[in-house]
Amino acid sequence: MADELTPETPDTALGETAAATDEQPIKQRKNGLYPSVSDELAENMKTGWAGTELRDLKPIEQVEHTARRRAALSARFPGERLVIPAGNLKTRSNDTDYPFRSAVEYTYLTGNQTEDGVLVLEPTADGHQATLYLLPRSNRANGEFWLSAQGELWVGRRHSLAEAEQLYGIPTADVRELPHKLREATGPVRVVRGHDAGIEAALTDKVTAERDEELRVFLSEMRLVKDEFEIGELQKAVDSTVRGFEDVVKVLDKAEATSERYIEGTFFLRARVEGNDVGYGSICAAGPHACTLHWVRNDGPVRSGDLLLLDAGVETHTLYTADVTRTLPVNGKYNEIQKKIYDAVYEAQEAGIAAVRPGAKYRDFHDAAQRVLAGKLVEWGLVEGPVERVLELGLQRRWTLHGTGHMLGMDVHDCAAARTETYVDGTLEPGMVLTVEPGLYFQPDDLTVPEEYRGIGVRIEDDILVTEDGNRNLSAALPRRSDEVEAWMASLRS
């Protein structure tokens, strides 16, 4: 990683105005090999560059959808200034940053994904005027473009404000001027908190936690029902995820020779080639690690005869993620006990999926799946029945552990800030997308179950779209029934 000219800190902190940024020298790293820049070099770097402004750009695909979403937000909060930040870069260590992922609320309303951006809706007589505040292209006059840690020659070209306006269909302005404008603003203001400390500091005496939470909740509930663009993106994410699972099956022999990390890396390659990233840390849990619900260390052995619980999802370039789980026999064949447990989970998932339809209660699919699993546990003699007693006391939870699903979208656990009455106590509507993912987990040290059960964990998860007349399994291309899984694995490995 080149380091000679990288400054200690970025020169575009949001607390500065554009003028102040131009006047302040760009700091150099303490132990950089070039401690200074000569006047001659500085002048040389200002000239001799071809113009690269992009013209006649086409708007992004979802521009009509983002405009409609902003209109709905405007109607909900008339007469109030609304501030929705993208967020800032976060330091990973010393002077290296984590890859940036913009705040969901911001990208949902704009389609933009660049750091430091802020959407502001200014109240007008008949609604709001939206402005997208962004960093302009890095400055050539003051050397920012080649001396700054975030300069163009170091991290790549940013769109100009004029280019961004063409892409996103929103008037643009320099974000470095925004904190001053917000400090001087009057009237009611709301901000989405937790993403940009500089913006929040500029509004500290103008906002309240309660009012800001109402904004966050509304934006979360807006995403409960997906539009046609979002459903298309989720299907893309799922299709790439299916290919990622196929990739993993083809290299299970190499994973056996190494570790779960080989599985993680294999799936990650598909996610980065076809999408933006993985939507969450991949769970590549072999053997007893499958009993740890969020096993993301992925540093354990992969052994023939064990099961592999793979829970992973590709995130598209527009930040919509899949969330799919399959529990696969590493050697391609379930043994008798593995098949018994797997088939029980499959039966529970079938019951859960069948309960997903418009007008049903959100909880119905969970209740249906849990009833099947509770029945199996009673049948196997692991818990005393009847089933109604088990469910009433929640005794099945020792082995089922988690809920049977969640909303899915730009967050893997989407719409998390929605009110309970509109989410888990709500009613399913066409356009909602949720996971159905029952599981059974018999911990390696659980002395209440037969020894042959211990260390077996099974989860099956699919992404389900609520349709006008029922549901559609977006991830149906991945086999689920145990005999179909075995045949699918054999065909890929041959």
Side-chain angles (χ1 to χ4, degrees):
M1 182 183 228
D3 69 354
E4 283 86 350
L5 291 172
T6 314
E8 294 178 3
T9 57
D11 60 294
T12 51
L14 290 187
E16 302 171 346
T17 65
T21 301
D22 290 341
E23 292 170 2
Q24 292 180 355
I26 297 173
K27 298 177 182 177
Q28 300 300 300
R29 179 183 279 121
K30 179 179 180 181
N31 289 305
L33 295 178
Y34 291 106
S36 63
V37 176
S38 69
D39 292 342
E40 289 79 5
L41 176 58
E43 287 301 314
N44 177 275
M45 291 296 289
K46 292 179 182 179
T47 61
W49 305 98
T52 59
E53 182 75 6
L54 303 176
R55 306 185 190 283
D56 301 321
L57 291 173
K58 293 182 179 179
I60 59 171
E61 184 179 357
Q62 67 267 42
V63 69
E64 292 183 6
H65 295 290
T66 56
R68 175 177 44 77
R69 296 165 192 165
R70 292 193 302 275
L73 178 61
S74 172
R76 171 62 179 81
F77 297 102
E80 302 185 53
R81 181 176 286 102
L82 307 175
V83 182
I84 301 97
N88 316 126
L89 289 170
K90 291 181 173 61
T91 300
R92 182 179 185 271
S93 179
N94 188 27
D95 57 356
T96 60
D97 299 314
Y98 286 105
F100 179 73
R101 188 186 189 276
S102 53
V104 164
E105 297 89 349
Y106 172 85
T107 300
Y108 181 72
L109 295 168
T110 66
N112 179 260
Q113 297 180 36
T114 54
E115 64 268 19
D116 299 335
V118 184
L119 173 67
V120 178
L121 272 62
E122 298 278 354
T124 63
D126 57 354
H128 286 82
Q129 171 62 52
T131 303
L132 190 56
Y133 287 87
L134 300 167
L135 287 171
R137 288 188 62 188
S138 50
N139 194 312
R140 291 187 184 270
N142 72 351
E144 175 196 346
F145 80 109
W146 70 291
L147 291 173
S148 168
Q150 298 304 314
E152 187 170 309
L153 298 193
W154 289 93
V155 299
R157 182 185 187 278
R158 292 192 291 264
H159 281 297
S160 71
L161 298 184
E163 291 169 354
E165 190 165 328
Q166 294 178 66
L167 287 170
Y168 305 109
I170 308 171
T172 57
D174 190 335
V175 71
R176 293 171 296 186
E177 301 172 356
L178 181 58
H180 175 72
K181 290 184 177 181
L182 293 178
R183 282 191 289 266
E184 298 298 316
T186 59
V189 185
R190 297 179 192 252
V191 63
V192 176
R193 299 190 181 201
H195 302 300
D196 193 319
I199 291 299
E200 289 180 38
L203 293 169
T204 186
D205 60 342
K206 304 176 189 300
V207 294
T208 67
E210 181 180 4
R211 286 163 51 78
D212 291 347
E213 179 64 10
E214 288 176 353
L215 173 60
R216 188 172 81 103
V217 167
F218 179 77
L219 288 171
S220 195
E221 293 184 357
M222 279 183 70
R223 305 199 309 275
L224 284 168
V225 176
K226 271 58 181 179
D227 58 39
E228 59 185 22
F229 173 82
E230 294 180 285
I231 293 169
E233 289 300 294
L234 286 166
Q235 186 65 70
K236 288 180 188 176
V238 168
D239 292 345
S240 289
T241 298
V242 169
R243 290 187 283 272
F245 274 68
E246 292 172 347
D247 296 339
V248 166
V249 171
K250 292 175 183 178
V251 300
L252 280 177
D253 58 332
K254 295 179 180 177
E256 286 188 63
T258 51
S259 76
E260 296 162 338
R261 293 277 169 95
Y262 203 96
I263 295 166
E264 179 183 357
T266 298
F267 187 85
F268 180 70
L269 177 61
R270 178 66 65 174
R272 286 294 279 167
V273 168
E274 295 193 2
N276 177 60
D277 205 331
V278 289
Y280 53 96
S282 299
I283 299 168
C284 307
H289 288 163
C291 298
T292 301
L293 299 184
H294 287 171
W295 177 261
V296 293
R297 299 180 201 172
N298 300 334
D299 58 359
V302 178
R303 298 188 179 98
S304 180
D306 282 348
L307 296 177
L308 166 68
L309 190 157
L310 178 58
D311 183 337
V314 172
E315 177 185 80
T316 67
H317 294 292
T318 56
L319 306 187
Y320 288 85
T321 184
D323 182 9
V324 177
T325 306
R326 291 293 183 268
T327 306
L328 311 172
V330 173
N331 63 11
K333 288 284 186 181
Y334 299 99
N335 66 33
E336 183 179 352
I337 294 297
Q338 291 169 348
K339 186 176 187 301
K340 173 183 175 179
I341 296 170
Y342 184 94
D343 287 349
V345 175
Y346 171 77
E347 186 178 330
Q349 195 202 25
E350 283 282 273
I353 292 174
V356 175
R357 57 183 178 273
K361 293 296 184 182
Y362 175 85
R363 291 180 181 271
D364 287 354
F365 75 95
H366 169 71
D367 293 342
Q370 290 291 298
R371 179 172 293 277
V372 171
L373 295 178
K376 295 295 181 181
L377 294 168
V378 171
E379 177 187 330
W380 298 341
L382 301 185
V383 64
E384 182 182 348
V387 170
E388 290 299 337
R389 169 184 172 271
V390 174
L391 293 172
E392 181 181 355
L393 298 176
L395 301 179
Q396 82 285 359
R397 292 180 61 187
R398 180 182 178 107
W399 303 283
T400 65
L401 293 176
H402 55 80
T404 309
H406 52 80
M407 292 295 181
L408 185 68
M410 297 179 81
D411 281 328
V412 65
H413 297 144
D414 207 30
C415 313
R419 292 167 296 169
T420 300
E421 57 265 34
T422 60
Y423 192 156
V424 296
D425 289 339
T427 301
L428 296 179
E429 301 177 39
M432 289 181 171
V433 180
L434 58 141
T435 67
V436 178
E437 50 174 313
L440 281 174
Y441 311 92
F442 298 104
Q443 304 301 326
D445 58 350
D446 188 349
L447 301 181
T448 69
V449 300
E451 186 174 358
E452 62 266 27
Y453 287 39
R454 297 173 198 165
I456 295 178
V458 174
R459 180 163 66 253
I460 312 171
E461 177 181 21
D462 285 87
D463 301 342
I464 309 298
L465 167 68
V466 183
T467 62
E468 294 289 344
D469 56 358
N471 70 67
R472 174 159 60 92
N473 186 347
L474 301 180
S475 45
L478 271 182
R480 293 185 295 126
R481 209 173 64 202
S482 57
D483 60 334
E484 293 176 342
V485 170
E486 291 177 341
W488 169 72
M489 292 183 69
S491 69
L492 289 173
R493 298 170 90 167
S494 65

